Amino acid sequence: MGYFIITGIAVIIMVYFFASKLSKKNPSKKHYILPGLILTVASLIVAITTYFIGDNPWSNMGYGILFIFVAIASLLGTLLGTLLGRRFSL
């Protein structure tokens, strides 16, 4: 469980950094949702692939939980990057 939390925190920081940089670079455009969307879609593809290819049901469940953590973390990072990115600079 500790690995999932560490992965979630790392994803929040990365997506926050990219979303805040994109929102500062082009404030009129909506490009700041791209990092979170790309990361969520990539983790969904990995989770679906491991579900169908994997032979161990417990590891498949672990990848599913990891996808949920990554999806929530990318959503939080995108929200924080758009809301706080214009106020604070990194």
Side-chain angles (χ1 to χ4, degrees):
M1 191 68 169
Y3 295 117
F4 294 145
I5 294 172
I6 292 170
T7 303
I9 290 170
V11 168
I12 288 173
I13 291 170
M14 285 189 317
V15 173
Y16 169 76
F17 177 72
F18 289 128
S20 66
K21 290 295 179 185
L22 287 174
S23 67
K24 287 178 192 172
K25 185 177 179 181
N26 296 322
S28 63
K29 296 185 180 180
K30 303 287 185 188
H31 288 116
Y32 49 81
I33 63 169
L34 258 112
L37 183 67
I38 290 171
L39 191 60
T40 304
V41 169
S43 64
L44 176 65
I45 290 170
V46 169
I48 290 173
T49 304
T50 57
Y51 179 75
F52 288 116
I53 294 176
D55 57 347
N56 187 359
W58 289 105
S59 65
N60 294 345
M61 186 176 67
Y63 284 121
I65 293 171
L66 183 63
F67 162 71
I68 292 170
F69 270 87
V70 168
I72 291 171
S74 65
L75 177 66
L76 281 173
T78 304
L79 288 175
L80 288 174
T82 56
L83 296 176
L84 301 176
R86 294 182 187 145
R87 295 184 190 132
F88 304 110
S89 62
L90 291 174

